């Protein structure tokens, strides 16, 4: 299977978004001391990170689809 430039761009953009999500999860775990469980603020931060990830992936997908036109 040959990987063309557009597919490579899609892979890189998706990996960047996933990496950003993982970094945010680690940062939330460090800031809110996730080893002993989260307080409600830490839980809201996790939900916010997940919602932000979903919106980010939607924006990346939309941007990549528009770039192909």
């Amino acid at each position: 299977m040959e990987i063309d430039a557009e597919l490579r761009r899609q892979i890189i953009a998706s990996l960047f978004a996933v990496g950003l999500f993982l970094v945010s999860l680690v940062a939330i775990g460090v800031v809110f001391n996730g080893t002993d469980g989260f307080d409600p603020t830490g839980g809201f931060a996790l939900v916010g990170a997940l919602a932000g990830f979903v919106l980010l992936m939607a924006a990346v997908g939309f941007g990549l689809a528009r770039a192909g036109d």
Side-chain angles (χ1 to χ4, degrees):
M1 180 174 141
E2 187 175 326
I3 298 179
D4 61 346
E6 184 173 344
L7 181 60
R8 193 174 314 124
R9 190 177 320 116
Q10 292 173 353
I11 291 170
I12 291 171
S14 298
L15 287 176
F16 177 75
V18 169
L20 186 64
F21 176 62
L22 291 176
V23 166
S24 71
L25 289 181
V26 170
I28 290 169
V30 168
V31 169
F32 292 103
N33 194 12
T35 57
D36 297 329
F38 290 115
D39 58 355
T41 307
F44 285 132
L46 280 176
V47 171
L50 183 59
F53 175 69
V54 169
L55 293 174
L56 176 64
M57 289 305 290
V60 166
F62 182 75
L64 289 172
R66 298 287 288 171
D69 290 343

Short mmCIF file of all heavy atoms in Angstrom, two decimals:
data_model
loop_
_atom_site.label_atom_id
_atom_site.label_comp_id
_atom_site.label_asym_id
_atom_site.label_seq_id
_atom_site.Cartn_x
_atom_site.Cartn_y
_atom_site.Cartn_z
N MET A 1 0.84 -1.18 0.00
CA MET A 1 0.00 0.00 0.00
C MET A 1 0.88 1.23 0.00
O MET A 1 1.75 1.39 0.84
CB MET A 1 -0.89 -0.01 1.23
CG MET A 1 -1.80 1.16 1.32
SD MET A 1 -2.91 0.95 2.71
CE MET A 1 -2.95 2.60 3.29
N GLU A 2 0.64 2.09 -0.94
CA GLU A 2 1.42 3.30 -1.06
C GLU A 2 0.78 4.41 -0.25
O GLU A 2 -0.43 4.61 -0.29
CB GLU A 2 1.49 3.71 -2.52
CG GLU A 2 2.42 4.86 -2.76
CD GLU A 2 2.54 5.16 -4.25
OE1 GLU A 2 2.48 4.21 -5.04
OE2 GLU A 2 2.66 6.33 -4.57
N ILE A 3 1.60 5.12 0.50
CA ILE A 3 1.10 6.23 1.32
C ILE A 3 1.39 7.53 0.58
O ILE A 3 2.55 7.92 0.43
CB ILE A 3 1.76 6.23 2.72
CG1 ILE A 3 1.40 4.95 3.46
CG2 ILE A 3 1.33 7.45 3.50
CD1 ILE A 3 2.03 4.84 4.83
N ASP A 4 0.34 8.17 0.11
CA ASP A 4 0.53 9.43 -0.60
C ASP A 4 0.59 10.59 0.39
O ASP A 4 0.47 10.42 1.60
CB ASP A 4 -0.57 9.63 -1.65
CG ASP A 4 -1.96 9.68 -1.04
OD1 ASP A 4 -2.11 9.29 0.13
OD2 ASP A 4 -2.90 10.11 -1.73
N ALA A 5 0.79 11.78 -0.14
CA ALA A 5 0.98 12.95 0.72
C ALA A 5 -0.25 13.27 1.55
O ALA A 5 -0.14 13.65 2.72
CB ALA A 5 1.36 14.16 -0.14
N GLU A 6 -1.44 13.11 0.98
CA GLU A 6 -2.66 13.43 1.73
C GLU A 6 -2.88 12.47 2.88
O GLU A 6 -3.22 12.88 3.99
CB GLU A 6 -3.87 13.42 0.81
CG GLU A 6 -5.13 13.85 1.53
CD GLU A 6 -6.31 14.00 0.59
OE1 GLU A 6 -6.11 14.06 -0.62
OE2 GLU A 6 -7.43 14.04 1.10
N LEU A 7 -2.65 11.18 2.65
CA LEU A 7 -2.80 10.21 3.72
C LEU A 7 -1.76 10.45 4.82
O LEU A 7 -2.07 10.35 6.01
CB LEU A 7 -2.67 8.78 3.17
CG LEU A 7 -2.83 7.65 4.18
CD1 LEU A 7 -4.20 7.71 4.84
CD2 LEU A 7 -2.62 6.30 3.50
N ARG A 8 -0.55 10.80 4.43
CA ARG A 8 0.49 11.10 5.41
C ARG A 8 0.09 12.31 6.25
O ARG A 8 0.27 12.33 7.47
CB ARG A 8 1.80 11.37 4.68
CG ARG A 8 3.00 11.39 5.57
CD ARG A 8 4.32 11.51 4.81
NE ARG A 8 4.35 10.61 3.67
CZ ARG A 8 4.58 11.00 2.42
NH1 ARG A 8 4.78 12.27 2.15
NH2 ARG A 8 4.61 10.13 1.43
N ARG A 9 -0.50 13.33 5.61
CA ARG A 9 -0.96 14.52 6.33
C ARG A 9 -2.07 14.15 7.31
O ARG A 9 -2.10 14.65 8.45
CB ARG A 9 -1.47 15.55 5.32
CG ARG A 9 -1.75 16.89 5.90
CD ARG A 9 -2.18 17.93 4.87
NE ARG A 9 -1.44 17.86 3.61
CZ ARG A 9 -1.99 17.56 2.43
NH1 ARG A 9 -3.28 17.35 2.32
NH2 ARG A 9 -1.26 17.52 1.34
N GLN A 10 -2.98 13.28 6.92
CA GLN A 10 -4.06 12.84 7.80
C GLN A 10 -3.52 12.07 9.00
O GLN A 10 -3.97 12.26 10.13
CB GLN A 10 -5.05 11.99 7.03
CG GLN A 10 -5.84 12.75 6.01
CD GLN A 10 -6.70 11.84 5.14
OE1 GLN A 10 -6.61 10.63 5.21
NE2 GLN A 10 -7.52 12.45 4.30
N ILE A 11 -2.55 11.21 8.76
CA ILE A 11 -1.96 10.42 9.85
C ILE A 11 -1.26 11.33 10.84
O ILE A 11 -1.42 11.19 12.05
CB ILE A 11 -1.00 9.36 9.28
CG1 ILE A 11 -1.78 8.29 8.53
CG2 ILE A 11 -0.16 8.75 10.38
CD1 ILE A 11 -0.91 7.33 7.74
N ILE A 12 -0.47 12.27 10.34
CA ILE A 12 0.27 13.18 11.22
C ILE A 12 -0.68 14.05 12.03
O ILE A 12 -0.49 14.25 13.24
CB ILE A 12 1.26 14.03 10.41
CG1 ILE A 12 2.38 13.12 9.88
CG2 ILE A 12 1.83 15.17 11.22
CD1 ILE A 12 3.30 13.79 8.88
N ALA A 13 -1.73 14.58 11.40
CA ALA A 13 -2.69 15.42 12.12
C ALA A 13 -3.41 14.62 13.20
O ALA A 13 -3.60 15.11 14.32
CB ALA A 13 -3.69 16.02 11.15
N SER A 14 -3.78 13.39 12.90
CA SER A 14 -4.48 12.55 13.88
C SER A 14 -3.56 12.18 15.03
O SER A 14 -3.97 12.22 16.20
CB SER A 14 -5.01 11.29 13.21
OG SER A 14 -5.93 11.61 12.21
N LEU A 15 -2.32 11.83 14.73
CA LEU A 15 -1.37 11.49 15.79
C LEU A 15 -1.07 12.70 16.68
O LEU A 15 -0.93 12.56 17.90
CB LEU A 15 -0.08 10.94 15.20
CG LEU A 15 -0.17 9.53 14.63
CD1 LEU A 15 1.16 9.13 14.00
CD2 LEU A 15 -0.56 8.53 15.70
N PHE A 16 -1.00 13.88 16.08
CA PHE A 16 -0.78 15.09 16.87
C PHE A 16 -1.95 15.33 17.82
O PHE A 16 -1.75 15.65 18.99
CB PHE A 16 -0.58 16.30 15.95
CG PHE A 16 -0.42 17.58 16.70
CD1 PHE A 16 0.76 17.87 17.35
CD2 PHE A 16 -1.46 18.49 16.77
CE1 PHE A 16 0.91 19.06 18.06
CE2 PHE A 16 -1.33 19.68 17.47
CZ PHE A 16 -0.13 19.96 18.12
N ALA A 17 -3.18 15.16 17.33
CA ALA A 17 -4.36 15.38 18.17
C ALA A 17 -4.42 14.35 19.31
O ALA A 17 -4.72 14.70 20.45
CB ALA A 17 -5.63 15.31 17.33
N VAL A 18 -4.12 13.11 19.01
CA VAL A 18 -4.13 12.06 20.04
C VAL A 18 -3.02 12.32 21.06
O VAL A 18 -3.22 12.16 22.27
CB VAL A 18 -4.01 10.66 19.41
CG1 VAL A 18 -3.75 9.61 20.46
CG2 VAL A 18 -5.26 10.33 18.62
N GLY A 19 -1.85 12.73 20.58
CA GLY A 19 -0.75 13.05 21.49
C GLY A 19 -1.10 14.21 22.41
O GLY A 19 -0.79 14.19 23.61
N LEU A 20 -1.76 15.22 21.86
CA LEU A 20 -2.19 16.35 22.67
C LEU A 20 -3.20 15.91 23.74
O LEU A 20 -3.13 16.36 24.89
CB LEU A 20 -2.81 17.42 21.77
CG LEU A 20 -3.19 18.73 22.40
CD1 LEU A 20 -1.96 19.45 22.93
CD2 LEU A 20 -3.89 19.60 21.37
N PHE A 21 -4.08 15.00 23.37
CA PHE A 21 -5.06 14.47 24.33
C PHE A 21 -4.35 13.70 25.44
O PHE A 21 -4.67 13.87 26.63
CB PHE A 21 -6.06 13.58 23.60
CG PHE A 21 -7.05 12.89 24.50
CD1 PHE A 21 -7.93 13.62 25.27
CD2 PHE A 21 -7.10 11.51 24.57
CE1 PHE A 21 -8.85 13.00 26.11
CE2 PHE A 21 -8.01 10.88 25.39
CZ PHE A 21 -8.89 11.62 26.16
N LEU A 22 -3.38 12.86 25.09
CA LEU A 22 -2.66 12.10 26.10
C LEU A 22 -1.86 13.01 27.03
O LEU A 22 -1.82 12.78 28.25
CB LEU A 22 -1.75 11.07 25.44
CG LEU A 22 -2.46 9.93 24.72
CD1 LEU A 22 -1.45 9.03 24.02
CD2 LEU A 22 -3.30 9.13 25.69
N VAL A 23 -1.26 14.04 26.47
CA VAL A 23 -0.53 15.00 27.31
C VAL A 23 -1.48 15.70 28.26
O VAL A 23 -1.15 15.91 29.44
CB VAL A 23 0.24 16.01 26.43
CG1 VAL A 23 0.73 17.20 27.23
CG2 VAL A 23 1.40 15.32 25.73
N SER A 24 -2.67 16.05 27.79
CA SER A 24 -3.63 16.71 28.67
C SER A 24 -4.09 15.77 29.79
O SER A 24 -4.27 16.21 30.93
CB SER A 24 -4.83 17.24 27.88
OG SER A 24 -5.63 16.18 27.42
N LEU A 25 -4.26 14.48 29.48
CA LEU A 25 -4.64 13.54 30.53
C LEU A 25 -3.54 13.40 31.59
O LEU A 25 -3.83 13.37 32.79
CB LEU A 25 -4.94 12.17 29.93
CG LEU A 25 -6.22 12.04 29.11
CD1 LEU A 25 -6.38 10.60 28.62
CD2 LEU A 25 -7.43 12.46 29.91
N VAL A 26 -2.30 13.33 31.15
CA VAL A 26 -1.19 13.24 32.10
C VAL A 26 -1.10 14.51 32.93
O VAL A 26 -0.91 14.46 34.16
CB VAL A 26 0.13 12.96 31.36
CG1 VAL A 26 1.32 13.09 32.29
CG2 VAL A 26 0.10 11.56 30.75
N ALA A 27 -1.27 15.67 32.30
CA ALA A 27 -1.21 16.93 33.02
C ALA A 27 -2.33 17.03 34.05
O ALA A 27 -2.11 17.48 35.18
CB ALA A 27 -1.30 18.10 32.04
N ILE A 28 -3.52 16.58 33.70
CA ILE A 28 -4.63 16.59 34.65
C ILE A 28 -4.32 15.65 35.81
O ILE A 28 -4.58 15.98 36.97
CB ILE A 28 -5.95 16.22 33.95
CG1 ILE A 28 -6.39 17.34 33.02
CG2 ILE A 28 -7.04 15.91 34.97
CD1 ILE A 28 -7.52 16.98 32.10
N GLY A 29 -3.75 14.49 35.51
CA GLY A 29 -3.40 13.56 36.57
C GLY A 29 -2.35 14.12 37.52
O GLY A 29 -2.42 13.91 38.73
N VAL A 30 -1.40 14.88 36.99
CA VAL A 30 -0.36 15.47 37.83
C VAL A 30 -0.93 16.63 38.65
O VAL A 30 -0.67 16.73 39.85
CB VAL A 30 0.82 15.95 36.95
CG1 VAL A 30 1.78 16.82 37.74
CG2 VAL A 30 1.55 14.76 36.36
N VAL A 31 -1.70 17.48 38.02
CA VAL A 31 -2.22 18.67 38.70
C VAL A 31 -3.22 18.29 39.79
O VAL A 31 -3.19 18.84 40.90
CB VAL A 31 -2.86 19.64 37.69
CG1 VAL A 31 -3.65 20.74 38.39
CG2 VAL A 31 -1.80 20.24 36.79
N PHE A 32 -4.09 17.33 39.51
CA PHE A 32 -5.14 16.99 40.46
C PHE A 32 -4.81 15.74 41.27
O PHE A 32 -5.69 15.18 41.92
CB PHE A 32 -6.47 16.81 39.73
CG PHE A 32 -7.01 18.09 39.16
CD1 PHE A 32 -6.90 18.35 37.81
CD2 PHE A 32 -7.58 19.03 39.98
CE1 PHE A 32 -7.39 19.53 37.28
CE2 PHE A 32 -8.07 20.22 39.46
CZ PHE A 32 -7.97 20.47 38.11
N ASN A 33 -3.57 15.29 41.26
CA ASN A 33 -3.09 14.16 42.06
C ASN A 33 -4.01 12.94 41.87
O ASN A 33 -4.68 12.48 42.78
CB ASN A 33 -3.00 14.54 43.54
CG ASN A 33 -2.21 13.51 44.33
OD1 ASN A 33 -1.55 12.66 43.75
ND2 ASN A 33 -2.26 13.61 45.64
N GLY A 34 -3.99 12.40 40.66
CA GLY A 34 -4.87 11.31 40.30
C GLY A 34 -4.56 9.98 40.93
O GLY A 34 -5.33 9.03 40.80
N THR A 35 -3.46 9.85 41.67
CA THR A 35 -3.12 8.56 42.28
C THR A 35 -4.08 8.20 43.40
O THR A 35 -4.34 7.03 43.63
CB THR A 35 -1.69 8.57 42.82
OG1 THR A 35 -1.54 9.64 43.76
CG2 THR A 35 -0.69 8.74 41.69
N ASP A 36 -4.60 9.19 44.10
CA ASP A 36 -5.51 8.93 45.22
C ASP A 36 -6.96 9.14 44.84
O ASP A 36 -7.84 9.10 45.69
CB ASP A 36 -5.18 9.86 46.40
CG ASP A 36 -3.79 9.61 46.94
OD1 ASP A 36 -3.32 8.45 46.86
OD2 ASP A 36 -3.16 10.57 47.41
N GLY A 37 -7.23 9.35 43.58
CA GLY A 37 -8.59 9.64 43.13
C GLY A 37 -8.75 11.13 42.94
O GLY A 37 -8.05 11.93 43.54
N PHE A 38 -9.66 11.49 42.08
CA PHE A 38 -9.87 12.89 41.77
C PHE A 38 -10.97 13.49 42.63
O PHE A 38 -11.94 12.82 42.99
CB PHE A 38 -10.29 13.06 40.30
CG PHE A 38 -9.20 12.78 39.33
CD1 PHE A 38 -9.30 11.72 38.45
CD2 PHE A 38 -8.08 13.57 39.28
CE1 PHE A 38 -8.31 11.46 37.54
CE2 PHE A 38 -7.07 13.32 38.38
CZ PHE A 38 -7.18 12.26 37.51
N ASP A 39 -10.81 14.76 42.93
CA ASP A 39 -11.92 15.50 43.51
C ASP A 39 -12.85 15.90 42.36
O ASP A 39 -12.54 15.64 41.19
CB ASP A 39 -11.41 16.71 44.30
CG ASP A 39 -10.58 17.68 43.46
OD1 ASP A 39 -10.32 17.37 42.29
OD2 ASP A 39 -10.23 18.75 43.98
N PRO A 40 -13.98 16.49 42.65
CA PRO A 40 -14.90 16.85 41.57
C PRO A 40 -14.29 17.76 40.51
O PRO A 40 -14.61 17.64 39.32
CB PRO A 40 -16.05 17.55 42.29
CG PRO A 40 -16.06 16.95 43.63
CD PRO A 40 -14.60 16.72 43.97
N THR A 41 -13.39 18.63 40.90
CA THR A 41 -12.75 19.52 39.92
C THR A 41 -11.90 18.72 38.94
O THR A 41 -11.89 19.00 37.74
CB THR A 41 -11.88 20.57 40.65
OG1 THR A 41 -12.67 21.23 41.63
CG2 THR A 41 -11.34 21.59 39.67
N GLY A 42 -11.19 17.72 39.43
CA GLY A 42 -10.40 16.86 38.55
C GLY A 42 -11.28 16.06 37.61
O GLY A 42 -10.93 15.85 36.44
N GLY A 43 -12.42 15.61 38.10
CA GLY A 43 -13.36 14.89 37.25
C GLY A 43 -13.91 15.77 36.14
O GLY A 43 -14.02 15.34 34.98
N PHE A 44 -14.23 17.02 36.48
CA PHE A 44 -14.69 17.96 35.46
C PHE A 44 -13.60 18.24 34.43
O PHE A 44 -13.87 18.40 33.25
CB PHE A 44 -15.16 19.27 36.09
CG PHE A 44 -16.50 19.16 36.77
CD1 PHE A 44 -16.67 19.66 38.05
CD2 PHE A 44 -17.57 18.58 36.13
CE1 PHE A 44 -17.90 19.56 38.68
CE2 PHE A 44 -18.81 18.48 36.74
CZ PHE A 44 -18.97 18.97 38.03
N ALA A 45 -12.36 18.30 34.92
CA ALA A 45 -11.24 18.52 33.99
C ALA A 45 -11.10 17.35 33.03
O ALA A 45 -10.83 17.55 31.83
CB ALA A 45 -9.95 18.73 34.77
N LEU A 46 -11.28 16.13 33.51
CA LEU A 46 -11.22 14.96 32.63
C LEU A 46 -12.34 14.97 31.61
O LEU A 46 -12.12 14.68 30.43
CB LEU A 46 -11.28 13.67 33.46
CG LEU A 46 -9.99 13.22 34.11
CD1 LEU A 46 -10.24 11.99 34.97
CD2 LEU A 46 -8.94 12.93 33.08
N VAL A 47 -13.54 15.29 32.06
CA VAL A 47 -14.67 15.37 31.13
C VAL A 47 -14.43 16.48 30.11
O VAL A 47 -14.71 16.31 28.91
CB VAL A 47 -15.99 15.59 31.90
CG1 VAL A 47 -17.13 15.90 30.95
CG2 VAL A 47 -16.31 14.36 32.73
N GLY A 48 -13.89 17.60 30.55
CA GLY A 48 -13.57 18.69 29.63
C GLY A 48 -12.51 18.30 28.62
O GLY A 48 -12.59 18.66 27.44
N ALA A 49 -11.50 17.55 29.07
CA ALA A 49 -10.46 17.09 28.15
C ALA A 49 -11.04 16.13 27.12
O ALA A 49 -10.69 16.19 25.93
CB ALA A 49 -9.33 16.41 28.92
N LEU A 50 -11.93 15.26 27.54
CA LEU A 50 -12.55 14.32 26.61
C LEU A 50 -13.44 15.06 25.61
O LEU A 50 -13.38 14.79 24.41
CB LEU A 50 -13.36 13.28 27.37
CG LEU A 50 -14.02 12.19 26.54
CD1 LEU A 50 -12.98 11.41 25.76
CD2 LEU A 50 -14.81 11.26 27.42
N ALA A 51 -14.22 16.00 26.09
CA ALA A 51 -15.08 16.79 25.18
C ALA A 51 -14.23 17.62 24.22
O ALA A 51 -14.53 17.72 23.03
CB ALA A 51 -16.01 17.69 25.99
N GLY A 52 -13.15 18.18 24.74
CA GLY A 52 -12.24 18.94 23.89
C GLY A 52 -11.60 18.07 22.82
O GLY A 52 -11.42 18.49 21.68
N PHE A 53 -11.27 16.84 23.19
CA PHE A 53 -10.69 15.91 22.22
C PHE A 53 -11.68 15.57 21.11
O PHE A 53 -11.32 15.54 19.93
CB PHE A 53 -10.23 14.63 22.92
CG PHE A 53 -9.73 13.57 21.99
CD1 PHE A 53 -8.55 13.75 21.29
CD2 PHE A 53 -10.44 12.41 21.81
CE1 PHE A 53 -8.09 12.78 20.43
CE2 PHE A 53 -9.99 11.43 20.95
CZ PHE A 53 -8.81 11.61 20.25
N VAL A 54 -12.91 15.34 21.48
CA VAL A 54 -13.94 15.04 20.47
C VAL A 54 -14.11 16.22 19.52
O VAL A 54 -14.16 16.05 18.29
CB VAL A 54 -15.28 14.65 21.14
CG1 VAL A 54 -16.41 14.60 20.14
CG2 VAL A 54 -15.14 13.33 21.89
N LEU A 55 -14.18 17.43 20.07
CA LEU A 55 -14.31 18.62 19.23
C LEU A 55 -13.07 18.85 18.38
O LEU A 55 -13.18 19.24 17.20
CB LEU A 55 -14.60 19.84 20.10
CG LEU A 55 -15.95 19.84 20.80
CD1 LEU A 55 -16.06 21.05 21.74
CD2 LEU A 55 -17.08 19.83 19.80
N LEU A 56 -11.89 18.59 18.95
CA LEU A 56 -10.65 18.74 18.20
C LEU A 56 -10.60 17.76 17.03
O LEU A 56 -10.23 18.13 15.91
CB LEU A 56 -9.44 18.55 19.11
CG LEU A 56 -8.08 18.59 18.43
CD1 LEU A 56 -7.81 19.97 17.84
CD2 LEU A 56 -6.99 18.21 19.42
N MET A 57 -10.98 16.51 17.26
CA MET A 57 -10.96 15.52 16.18
C MET A 57 -11.98 15.88 15.10
O MET A 57 -11.73 15.67 13.92
CB MET A 57 -11.22 14.12 16.73
CG MET A 57 -10.06 13.57 17.53
SD MET A 57 -8.50 13.55 16.66
CE MET A 57 -8.79 12.29 15.44
N ALA A 58 -13.12 16.42 15.51
CA ALA A 58 -14.11 16.86 14.51
C ALA A 58 -13.54 18.01 13.68
O ALA A 58 -13.70 18.03 12.46
CB ALA A 58 -15.40 17.28 15.20
N ALA A 59 -12.88 18.95 14.33
CA ALA A 59 -12.29 20.07 13.61
C ALA A 59 -11.15 19.62 12.68
O ALA A 59 -11.03 20.10 11.55
CB ALA A 59 -11.77 21.11 14.60
N VAL A 60 -10.35 18.69 13.16
CA VAL A 60 -9.26 18.16 12.32
C VAL A 60 -9.84 17.43 11.12
O VAL A 60 -9.38 17.62 9.98
CB VAL A 60 -8.33 17.23 13.15
CG1 VAL A 60 -7.43 16.42 12.25
CG2 VAL A 60 -7.52 18.04 14.12
N GLY A 61 -10.86 16.62 11.34
CA GLY A 61 -11.49 15.91 10.23
C GLY A 61 -12.11 16.86 9.23
O GLY A 61 -11.97 16.69 8.01
N PHE A 62 -12.79 17.88 9.72
CA PHE A 62 -13.39 18.87 8.83
C PHE A 62 -12.31 19.62 8.04
O PHE A 62 -12.44 19.83 6.85
CB PHE A 62 -14.24 19.86 9.65
CG PHE A 62 -14.93 20.88 8.82
CD1 PHE A 62 -16.04 20.54 8.06
CD2 PHE A 62 -14.47 22.18 8.77
CE1 PHE A 62 -16.68 21.49 7.28
CE2 PHE A 62 -15.09 23.14 7.99
CZ PHE A 62 -16.22 22.80 7.25
N GLY A 63 -11.25 20.00 8.75
CA GLY A 63 -10.17 20.71 8.08
C GLY A 63 -9.47 19.87 7.02
O GLY A 63 -9.16 20.36 5.94
N LEU A 64 -9.25 18.62 7.32
CA LEU A 64 -8.62 17.74 6.35
C LEU A 64 -9.54 17.46 5.16
O LEU A 64 -9.07 17.36 4.02
CB LEU A 64 -8.20 16.43 7.02
CG LEU A 64 -7.01 16.52 7.97
CD1 LEU A 64 -6.82 15.22 8.71
CD2 LEU A 64 -5.74 16.91 7.22
N ALA A 65 -10.82 17.36 5.39
CA ALA A 65 -11.76 17.14 4.30
C ALA A 65 -11.83 18.36 3.39
O ALA A 65 -11.92 18.23 2.17
CB ALA A 65 -13.15 16.81 4.84
N ARG A 66 -11.79 19.55 3.98
CA ARG A 66 -11.84 20.78 3.19
C ARG A 66 -10.52 21.00 2.44
O ARG A 66 -10.52 21.58 1.37
CB ARG A 66 -12.11 21.98 4.08
CG ARG A 66 -13.46 21.92 4.79
CD ARG A 66 -14.58 22.16 3.87
NE ARG A 66 -14.60 23.56 3.48
CZ ARG A 66 -15.36 24.06 2.54
NH1 ARG A 66 -16.18 23.28 1.89
NH2 ARG A 66 -15.33 25.33 2.25
N ALA A 67 -9.40 20.53 3.01
CA ALA A 67 -8.11 20.72 2.36
C ALA A 67 -8.00 19.85 1.11
O ALA A 67 -7.27 20.19 0.19
CB ALA A 67 -6.98 20.38 3.34
N GLY A 68 -8.73 18.75 1.07
CA GLY A 68 -8.69 17.87 -0.09
C GLY A 68 -9.45 18.40 -1.29
O GLY A 68 -9.25 17.95 -2.41
N ASP A 69 -10.31 19.38 -1.07
CA ASP A 69 -11.12 19.92 -2.18
C ASP A 69 -10.35 20.88 -3.04
O ASP A 69 -9.62 21.64 -2.84
CB ASP A 69 -12.37 20.61 -1.63
CG ASP A 69 -13.34 19.59 -1.05
OD1 ASP A 69 -13.20 18.40 -1.36
OD2 ASP A 69 -14.22 20.01 -0.28
#
